[in-house]
Amino acid sequence: MSQERAVPASAVPLEELSSWPEELCRRELPSVLPRLLSMYQHSDSWLEHIQILKIIVEMFLPHMNHLTLEQTFFSQVLPKTVRLFDDMMYELTSQARGLSSQNLEIQTTIRNILQTMVQLLGALTGCVQHVCATQESIILENIHSLPSSVLHVIKSTFVHCKSQTFCRLFSRRPILFKSS
């Protein structure tokens, strides 16, 4: 057993994983990644999802085989990541309807959702940067979940912002004609 850790890698708490040195992450990837993927799939908490996703992207993605990124990581994580983003967008929109300058609770909730979304976007950005920084040629088939997931998030963001701007414009527009 390695002297760098006292317990099996599969039993290490998330907080400890995030402080592992690069060499330990590389060496323990085969035993830790399945556990992290399972935790990600079974988590019901947005914050836990983000924490796990950030650990995988920052600590373990750099050590994954580029030829198997799709099957070992992207296809297992990105569909749920997109659903998580959509759920956050829905909750953000729902909460924003009740927003007023006096409602501090809703303001705090919206701020927390936005901060979580920024972390999710940071993890997706990390995936894109990793693929772009790769010196080897990458076949689209080996990463096909990544572009579609990123495009979904970008499109959803723009559609949301466009509809919110449209709604604000027409909700504040003066009535020009009264119907008889």
Side-chain angles (χ1 to χ4, degrees), residues 43-104:
S43 174
D44 292 326
S45 160
W46 289 356
L47 296 178
E48 188 176 42
H49 273 108
I50 299 302
Q51 182 184 20
I52 296 166
L53 185 59
K54 284 176 65 175
I55 288 171
I56 295 172
V57 170
E58 294 170 6
M59 307 296 293
F60 295 97
L61 180 60
H63 308 291
M64 291 183 200
N65 181 335
H66 295 102
L67 298 174
T68 60
L69 276 177
E70 180 65 29
Q71 63 199 35
T72 58
F73 177 54
F74 292 151
S75 68
Q76 295 187 51
V77 170
L78 293 178
K80 190 161 186 175
T81 302
V82 167
R83 282 192 305 277
L84 179 66
F85 180 84
D86 288 344
D87 290 348
M88 285 189 248
M89 189 66 80
Y90 175 81
E91 186 65 24
L92 183 66
T93 303
S94 298
Q95 292 292 328
R97 288 190 185 114
L99 185 61
S100 70
S101 59
Q102 290 80 32
N103 196 329
L104 297 177

